[in-house]
Amino acid sequence: MKLTIKQVALSLMLFLISSMYMFFAHYYFTQRDITAEVLISRIKSDLSELSYIISKQVKKEPIETVKPLLDRKSANTDYLNAIAIFKGQQVVMSTDHRYITYPNANELYTAPNVDNFTLLHSKQALKTDVHYFEGKIKKYYTLIFYIDKAFIKQNFVEAKRDFILFFILIPIIFIAIVWLVLGRLIVKPLEALRQYAYYNSKLPAPFKVKEIEYIRASMVQTFNRLAQEKEELYKLSRTDSLSGLANRSYLNERVAQIIDLSNREKKEFALLFLDLDHFKSINDSLGHDIGDQLLKSIAHEIKRIVRLNDVVARVGGDEFVIVLTHYKGELELYEIIERIQTQLMKPWVIKTYPIHVTSSIGVTVFPKDGNDIISLLKNADIAMYEAKARGRRGYHFFTEALNVKTQEYIEITNSMREALKNGNFKLYYQPLNDVKTGEIYGAEALIRWTNSANEYISPNLFIPIAEQNGFIIELGKWVLETAIKQLKTWQNNDVALKISINVAALQVQQQDFVSHLKFLITTNEVQASNISLEITENVFLNDSEVLHKTFSEIKALGVQISLDDFGTGYSSLSYLKTFPIDILKIDKAFLDDYDTEAGAIFIETIVNMANTLKLRVVAEGVETLPQLTYLQSLNCHCYQGYYCSQPVEINRFNKLYSESLL
Ligand code: C2E
Ligand code: CA
Ligand code: CA
């Protein structure tokens, strides 16, 4: 059983008071008995004194003469009602005519076997004998004192009143005072202390009781320390230790609040997903120290640009999320985003290193692009990747079309590997024809994919995705192998055909590209000069010594190089001179325009230039006879297009080829 301080104090007080009561009660009763005894012995001595006087007087004079004596005594003695003298049962005289009968035994003080107090209260009369002689005979009168009971009582009543006053009232007052003091000095302050510990709100005032004050002071210290530690932990759990910005969990918490508020106020807000461009290379070249310092400065700068109650969080190495809640319309939103991007682009100086960074931002707007943090973040991420894909240092708003594109991207990425394992990829072949004679001299290998749901997926869709996610390396190897094997089959059958194989930029950049190509050529024992690799101008984006080396190694093998889709990229003609290119493939777009002046000029210029540079020219996308006739009027060597055939399966291609020989 647990007791409160008040309960303990109260029990202690009760114990103290009851022992006090016992002591005082004992004292009171003793006192009362003493008073009674004093009274009785006074009465007794008065009685015997009077009987002595009377007995002396009646020796000489008749009994009647004592009457004045009795009257005087009765009048002067406070406790007497009357004095009477009896002879036997017969009254001789009485100081009061009401007291003339002899008191019965009950009323007489005879057997003193009760205590004096009871005696005084229960008996009314005391008697004594007065002896005298009539001649020689000894006779006696009976002298009786009638006691005034009211007077006796009064003696004790006073004592009782004192008793009540001292032993009932005073303790009650005492208890009340102690109770109050206890409450004021101990219980209430302790309660304040408890509340402070619980809510940590109002600091309790110092206590008046010293010991308790010590407790209070040390407890307040402890509570403060704990509260501080708690706050630090809380802060730590919500902030990113490097930048001091909100972390992901605090971002979730805040966005949930902002969503609530926006729902209530029917307002929108924007969530920005910001990723630094090429941050990894800064980290790699200047060290993580500088990288961290840069992130800190950037965090600080973003915080400075946005409003105080906008949320800025760091959610990954160089990824930041900014939630903008106050902007009037799209224009202001663009403005803020642009301000962030231009501010981050200013030259940074970190530990004396000048650094230049750009950022890509994806933007989602609540509720149109998502109504919870997960979809907002996911879509902002998608939009950010789109911004990166569009050449970085820009921002992009999320759209549903973008979402579909991303979904497609994810689906295709996931199913491509399976497709390669399951043999769902095939190579089709499209004839390459001589413009003058029309004969088929070769074929371009073009990949085809029919997925498990029997849907045709265009290479225009999945090749760019494979280039993005790197799968093109594996897939390209398979294309190269399959195409070269086909060449070997032709060769074995004495079919004199060349093969043209599309190769992605990423493939050419692989260290083992040339060795793999060489391996395929030697193991299949094919003639390298019958192989042509189709590359696009993209390859030159990454102009480097290594690339030059790769090209000369390809050339050294005897393999030809075609520049595909010529005219569509950013054509810097210098590449035609510095790289060993054998063939130019004029893009279909120009053939489509051959009958306009601009189209014709372009085609003719390319053909002339190619001839000067001693390059062969292949015109792509020739669909009609007039197109072919036009090409024949120029010095264009080859063509490719539906006019002869679409890309077809190998069997159909072979058939087509044999028919063309007839
Ligand atoms: P590309 O290399 O420019 O291939 C020519 C594309 O034009 C082919 O589309 C072909 O079917 C189409 N074509 C040819 N003649 C005509 C014509 O007369 N009219 C029309 N309308 N189209 C014609 P395809 O097969 O859909 O390939 C698209 C692109 O995918 C290719 O463009 C190439 O860049 C890429 N690709 C195809 N196969 C491979 C491959 O094995 N490896 C790599 N890296 N890329 C490939
Ligand atoms: Ca091609
Ligand atoms: Ca092409």
Side-chain angles (χ1 to χ4, degrees):
M1 189 180 68
K2 289 196 180 99
L3 296 170
T4 64
I5 289 188
K6 272 195 174 177
Q7 282 170 331
V8 171
L10 199 68
S11 335
L12 245 155
M13 254 155 47
L14 280 176
F15 173 74
L16 255 168
I17 285 167
S18 47
S19 7
M20 233 161 72
Y21 269 141
M22 260 143 64
F23 172 74
F24 284 123
H26 174 76
Y27 173 79
Y28 169 75
F29 287 115
T30 323
Q31 256 345 81
R32 196 183 66 176
D33 284 346
I34 291 170
T35 312
E37 200 179 317
V38 167
L39 268 169
I40 282 184
S41 57
R42 184 179 150 207
I43 295 168
K44 277 183 179 167
S45 77
D46 279 359
L47 191 64
S48 56
E49 190 189 316
L50 191 64
S51 79
Y52 172 73
I53 294 170
I54 293 169
S55 66
K56 260 171 78 183
Q57 187 145 341
V58 292
K59 269 184 197 162
K60 305 170 243 164
E61 292 172 56
I63 187 72
E64 284 74 23
T65 56
V66 300
K67 179 80 175 27
L69 187 67
L70 294 192
D71 283 339
R72 207 163 51 244
K73 182 75 189 170
S74 172
N76 291 342
T77 311
D78 42 16
Y79 59 83
L80 280 176
N81 273 338
I83 307 172
I85 297 177
F86 290 87
K87 192 173 183 180
Q89 296 286 310
Q90 203 60 48
V91 72
V92 178
M93 68 182 69
S94 174
T95 58
D96 189 326
H97 59 88
R98 282 168 299 175
Y99 297 90
I100 49 170
T101 46
Y102 193 83
N104 59 36
N106 283 342
E107 291 169 331
L108 265 174
Y109 170 75
T110 43
N113 53 354
V114 281
D115 65 276
N116 295 329
F117 177 75
T118 323
L119 185 88
L120 274 174
H121 277 79
S122 56
K123 307 293 175 180
Q124 285 184 351
L126 265 80
K127 68 160 195 176
T128 191
D129 293 339
V130 181
H131 297 272
Y132 68 96
F133 289 91
E134 234 174 50
K136 287 268 186 220
I137 305 160
K138 189 180 177 186
K139 292 215 166 156
Y140 65 89
Y141 296 108
T142 307
L143 175 67
I144 291 185
F145 276 11
Y146 292 93
I147 310 278
D148 180 357
K149 267 194 168 164
F151 171 80
I152 297 292
K153 239 180 221 162
Q154 201 187 318
N155 268 292
F156 292 99
V157 165
E158 263 168 33
K160 211 173 183 174
R161 204 179 297 138
D162 292 350
F163 179 80
I164 288 171
L165 185 71
F166 284 109
F167 306 130
I168 296 182
L169 231 52
I170 288 179
I172 285 174
I173 292 167
F174 172 69
I175 289 177
I177 289 172
V178 170
W179 189 259
L180 274 174
V181 169
L182 210 69
R184 270 282 153 78
L185 292 187
I186 298 175
V187 178
K188 221 167 146 191
L190 280 180
E191 172 59 19
L193 194 62
R194 189 192 67 79
Q195 284 195 4
Y196 178 70
Y198 197 78
Y199 305 111
N200 206 350
S201 49
K202 222 176 85 199
L203 194 70
F207 300 155
K208 299 223 166 51
V209 181
K210 235 183 193 169
E211 284 80 357
I212 294 187
E213 171 55 19
Y214 294 153
I215 295 172
R216 184 202 67 95
S218 63
M219 278 191 168
V220 163
Q221 249 176 26
T222 309
F223 298 150
N224 280 340
R225 207 190 60 234
L226 286 176
Q228 220 172 341
E229 281 171 7
K230 195 175 105 185
E231 200 171 311
E232 268 160 27
L233 273 175
Y234 183 60
K235 229 167 144 186
L236 217 65
S237 73
R238 290 150 48 110
T239 50
D240 161 50
S241 57
L242 174 74
S243 64
L245 296 176
N247 62 14
R248 198 176 268 273
S249 80
Y250 186 44
L251 173 72
N252 288 349
E253 198 181 304
R254 282 298 310 273
V255 171
Q257 291 168 354
I258 293 172
I259 286 177
D260 271 356
L261 193 76
S262 302
N263 272 332
R264 247 179 287 138
E265 294 180 354
K266 301 255 173 299
K267 270 175 69 178
E268 62 166 55
F269 69 87
L271 186 144
L272 278 50
F273 197 104
L274 183 150
D275 188 284
L276 299 178
D277 300 328
H278 305 299
F279 179 72
K280 195 177 165 299
S281 60
I282 293 173
N283 244 351
D284 290 348
S285 57
L286 297 177
H288 287 257
D289 238 26
I290 304 271
D292 285 356
Q293 205 58 46
L294 178 67
L295 286 175
K296 257 190 221 175
S297 309
I298 284 173
H300 190 260
E301 185 64 16
I302 299 174
K303 210 64 210 161
R304 199 185 58 79
I305 298 167
V306 301
R307 280 164 163 265
L308 210 62
N309 47 0
D310 286 340
V311 186
V312 183
R314 191 171 81 115
V315 294
D318 61 341
E319 294 169 342
F320 297 86
V321 168
I322 303 156
V323 182
L324 300 172
T325 49
H326 284 90
Y327 53 87
K328 294 181 217 75
E330 274 187 358
L331 269 179
E332 198 184 334
L333 183 57
Y334 294 151
E335 238 175 66
I336 302 174
I337 296 170
E338 272 161 21
R339 194 164 355 121
I340 293 174
Q341 279 190 318
T342 38
Q343 278 307 105
L344 297 193
M345 268 195 311
K346 71 176 189 192
W348 298 92
V349 180
I350 309 287
K351 291 191 182 161
T352 72
Y353 289 99
I355 301 175
H356 178 76
V357 273
T358 57
S359 59
S360 300
I361 296 179
V363 188
T364 38
V365 174
F366 172 90
K368 131 176 119 59
D369 301 332
N371 42 26
D372 56 51
I373 174 79
I374 294 175
S375 46
L376 285 171
L377 269 180
K378 191 193 88 194
N379 293 341
D381 194 45
I382 289 173
M384 189 274 290
Y385 271 102
E386 186 62 21
K388 287 233 185 228
R390 289 175 183 227
R392 302 170 205 260
R393 68 165 68 184
Y395 58 92
H396 201 274
F397 277 68
F398 174 79
T399 58
E400 195 44 45
L402 199 56
N403 190 28
V404 170
K405 199 172 135 190
T406 309
Q407 259 359 84
E408 214 169 62
Y409 177 91
I410 293 167
E411 250 167 60
I412 288 175
T413 296
N414 292 339
S415 49
M416 261 190 304
R417 283 172 205 282
E418 282 300 299
L420 186 59
K421 260 191 246 151
N422 300 340
N424 289 343
F425 288 110
K426 270 201 181 107
L427 285 190
Y428 270 39
Y429 298 87
Q430 187 179 33
L432 293 162
N433 305 73
D434 188 288
V435 168
K436 292 264 151 58
T437 64
E439 86 178 274
I440 300 175
Y441 71 89
E444 178 178 359
L446 290 157
I447 197 164
R448 291 290 174 267
W449 178 17
T450 312
N451 70 8
S452 45
N454 212 25
E455 295 160 335
Y456 169 75
I457 302 163
S458 164
N460 284 320
L461 181 65
F462 71 82
I463 293 291
I465 294 176
E467 282 175 346
Q468 241 181 74
N469 64 24
F471 182 64
I472 195 70
I473 294 164
E474 238 175 289
L475 189 65
K477 275 186 176 167
W478 176 85
V479 170
L480 211 58
E481 268 171 41
T482 315
I484 289 179
K485 267 186 199 148
Q486 184 52 51
L487 182 64
K488 182 189 165 73
T489 314
W490 284 333
Q491 208 171 281
N492 290 349
N493 295 335
D494 284 327
V495 174
L497 282 174
K498 292 176 183 288
I499 188 102
S500 212
I501 309 168
N502 292 288
V503 174
L506 194 65
Q507 261 178 289
V508 183
Q509 285 159 12
Q510 297 307 300
Q511 263 189 342
D512 65 344
F513 178 76
V514 177
S515 58
H516 181 235
L517 178 66
K518 189 177 173 186
F519 169 80
L520 290 175
I521 291 169
T522 42
T523 49
N524 288 296
E525 297 173 313
V526 290
Q527 210 178 321
S529 61
N530 283 335
I531 301 172
S532 146
L533 300 182
E534 297 197 4
I535 53 154
T536 58
E537 288 161 316
N538 288 341
V539 172
F540 304 125
L541 282 177
N542 214 339
D543 189 2
S544 67
E545 269 186 35
V546 183
L547 193 69
H548 279 274
K549 199 172 147 242
T550 306
F551 269 72
S552 29
E553 281 170 0
I554 293 172
K555 278 294 344 150
L557 289 175
V559 172
Q560 304 227 295
I561 295 171
S562 304
L563 196 50
D564 205 353
D565 304 339
F566 186 74
T568 54
Y570 70 110
S571 304
S572 167
L573 294 174
S574 63
Y575 295 120
L576 294 180
K577 284 190 220 146
T578 51
F579 283 93
I581 288 156
D582 306 286
I583 302 161
L584 283 189
K585 294 189 80 175
I586 305 178
D587 195 76
K588 178 178 177 296
F590 304 109
L591 264 292
D592 289 345
D593 290 347
Y594 85 99
D595 50 359
T596 67
E597 203 183 332
I601 289 176
F602 190 85
I603 296 173
E604 281 157 36
T605 312
I606 293 174
V607 171
N608 287 336
M609 183 192 68
N611 283 326
T612 322
L613 292 170
K614 304 221 174 342
L615 304 173
R616 290 178 71 78
V617 185
V618 181
E620 286 188 301
V622 177
E623 294 179 340
T624 62
L625 185 60
Q627 280 177 321
L628 181 59
T629 318
Y630 168 72
L631 287 176
Q632 281 167 344
S633 73
L634 308 174
N635 203 2
C636 177
H637 317 104
C638 313
Y639 82 90
Q640 180 184 352
Y642 291 178
Y643 179 70
C644 173
S645 169
Q646 292 196 0
V648 290
E649 272 187 287
I650 185 62
N651 292 337
R652 274 201 64 193
F653 177 84
N654 285 337
K655 208 170 148 223
L656 202 73
Y657 174 66
S658 12
E659 280 167 9
S660 77
L661 292 177
L662 299 175

